[in-house]
Amino acid sequence: MEENLVISDVAEGIANLTLNRPEAMNAFSVAMLQAMGRALADLRFDPAIRVVIVTGAGKAFSAGADLKERAGMSPEQVKAFIFNIRRLMDDIELFPKPVIAAVNGAAFGGGMELALAADIRLAADTAQMGLTETRLAIIPGAGGTQRLPRLIGKGLAKEMIFTGRRINAQEALRIGLVNHVHPAEELMAASRRLAADICESGPIAVEQAKYAINRGSETDLNTGLAIESNAYWICIPTEDRLEGLAAFREKRKPIYRGK
Ligand code: COA
């Protein structure tokens, strides 16, 4: 039963991870948190997987921490939960393949933090997003206070976090919180199209580009450029790089094998 808390289905190099507690708006229980960690671990070193799409079953993306479960937790258990959910988001941010959040509905608290940890966010026009924690007299604990200001700037992030305000998809688009908004019924197709586009690029190059952007943007420019340079060096001896050059010469599509 527990495996069903996160449904993992794979097709053509794209893994879909679906948070599956629709009756609780896909709120993160301890069990769903663990299921998500396992699902990601299964995909991490699978060379057949090029991109991961995360979405929610039913009408919500995720309503954040399971507040009913939380009510029965001791302070130590809350601490452990926060530690583990923060680690899950770090895992997603540092996942060696791109992660797309397909925000199909409400993404509040930890749900929005999950979207923030992804590389690219697409939203349904019906989506609502917010870091609502201060309304519960707590703060975002799964990276929200750090990732939101880095994405949309400190001023707007403080406004969202201090008020706990819930914004709609159009506002999320306007402030750069999501890359694109799609009609709800087209969200998954749009996410798969984007994932398929990424699959056409060299997988080692994509992994190294993600690494350089993530690591380089957290340091000074010169160190960032050194990180970029090292990441580039990793691409040079690959078969894929030679395949890219050969395909260009032969006017055909390259076939990249991640080698
Ligand atoms: N934890 C546990 N259960 C949750 C939940 C959460 N975070 N969010 C929603 N649920 C449950 C509801 O309690 C309800 O269960 P019930 O049928 O047993 O009463 C069920 O999911 C459906 O939610 P409901 O509120 O009836 O649906 P809605 O469509 O009116 O509203 C939300 C959906 C997501 C807007 C609303 O549930 C909400 O605001 N949730 C809290 C979000 C939040 O503040 N998260 C931050 C956590 S730090």
Side-chain angles (χ1 to χ4, degrees), residues 23-25 27 59 63-68 106 108-109 132-133 136 138 166:
E23 71 288 355
M25 298 287 141
K59 66 177 190 173
D66 185 321
L67 297 174
K68 292 175 185 162
F108 297 135
T132 51
E133 288 89 342
L136 295 161
I138 51 176
R166 301 168 178 215

Side-chain angles (χ1 to χ4, degrees), residues 91-139:
D91 249 18
I92 290 170
E93 181 162 59
L94 300 178
F95 201 71
K97 308 150 200 253
V99 179
I100 297 171
V103 183
N104 56 304
F108 297 135
M112 173 155 150
E113 289 174 300
L114 170 60
L116 286 170
D119 298 297
I120 295 170
R121 285 152 292 282
L122 304 185
D125 53 2
T126 50
Q128 296 260 323
M129 300 179 81
L131 290 179
T132 51
E133 288 89 342
T134 57
R135 293 285 165 143
L136 295 161
I138 51 176
I139 69 167

Side-chain angles (χ1 to χ4, degrees), residues 92-93 95 97-99 119 206-214:
I92 290 170
E93 181 162 59
F95 201 71
K97 308 150 200 253
V99 179
D119 298 297
V206 170
E207 179 178 347
Q208 290 306 312
K210 173 168 174 171
Y211 178 87
I213 295 168
N214 276 357

